[in-house]
Amino acid sequence: SYRNTLSEPKEVDTVPFGCFKREVFEKIGYFNENLDRNMDIEFNLRMKKNGYKIMLFPNTYIEYYARDTFFSLWKNNFGNGLWVIKSSKYSEKAFSLRHLIPLFFVLFLIFGTVFSLFFKPVLYGFMFILGFYTALNILFSFRLALRRKCFLCFFLNIIGFAVLHLSYGFGSLFSLINYFK
């Protein structure tokens, strides 16, 4: 929601650069210093678990600069995916189910590719789901390009969404593989 225009305050799961009253920290504790990343996710989940709401206000202005290359986007989101799994070692509720969707997507791609080689019905299902993902990627990339009135953005968004989802998923997979070491 913080990436879209709002007309009135809205309850959300997280906000960038949140501001909190001292009483919140006194009740639920501070940010978990064992985490190199995702400490905001973990903190926000603890807040919600303790009955607090996270509000996004439309009159707040933040100037944010996105990663300027696909490689830096990959590197950043690989780290985010890595830490979403790794953080569960330091906190009982370090992430929510939606943070695992890129991991499931990557596992689907790996296992779907392998099983498609041996089972024709799996191939059809695999191609259907991959086609559905591609169609959604194209649709949302087109909508964003129209909103920005930027033809080149259409193609950059297609690549950007794929890089975002794959890097986060592979980061989570890498972390899961190394979780018990």
Side-chain angles (χ1 to χ4, degrees), residues 6 11 16 35 37 39 48-49 57 88 95 98 104-105 108 125 127 137 142 148 156 163 166 175 177:
L6 292 177
E11 185 177 352
L35 303 176
R37 288 217 181 145
M39 63 282 287
K48 290 182 124 347
K49 182 179 175 183
F57 294 95
S88 65
F95 57 85
R98 73 184 170 100
F104 297 148
F105 181 59
F108 162 77
M127 295 305 290
N137 189 346
F142 184 71
R148 298 255 188 239
L156 296 175
V163 167
L166 292 171
S175 185
I177 290 168

Side-chain angles (χ1 to χ4, degrees), residues 5 8 15 25 55 57 68 74 108 132 170 181:
T5 304
E8 57 189 52
V15 289
F25 296 105
M55 300 298 295
F57 294 95
D68 59 354
W74 179 280
F108 162 77
F132 186 66
F170 276 110
K181 288 185 178 182

Side-chain angles (χ1 to χ4, degrees), residues 2 16-17 19 55-62:
Y2 62 85
F17 319 114
C19 299
M55 300 298 295
L56 178 62
F57 294 95
N59 57 348
T60 305
Y61 177 77
I62 297 171

Side-chain angles (χ1 to χ4, degrees), residues 72-151:
S72 60
L73 178 65
W74 179 280
K75 188 175 168 183
N76 178 71
N77 285 288
F78 183 92
N80 288 341
L82 181 106
W83 271 94
V84 86
I85 300 297
K86 197 173 185 180
S87 62
S88 65
K89 283 186 172 184
Y90 304 105
S91 175
E92 71 181 58
K93 181 93 170 140
F95 57 85
S96 62
L97 180 61
R98 73 184 170 100
H99 294 103
L100 297 178
I101 292 172
L103 171 63
F104 297 148
F105 181 59
V106 165
L107 290 173
F108 162 77
L109 291 174
I110 293 168
F111 289 111
T113 300
V114 171
F115 287 117
S116 290
L117 297 173
F118 302 104
F119 306 106
K120 201 149 239 150
V122 173
L123 174 64
Y124 298 136
F126 179 72
M127 295 305 290
F128 175 78
I129 294 171
L130 201 54
F132 186 66
Y133 172 82
T134 303
L136 287 175
N137 189 346
I138 290 169
L139 173 70
F140 284 98
S141 295
F142 184 71
R143 285 180 50 194
L144 286 169
L146 277 180
R147 189 181 313 156
R148 298 255 188 239
K149 297 178 179 145
C150 172
F151 179 72

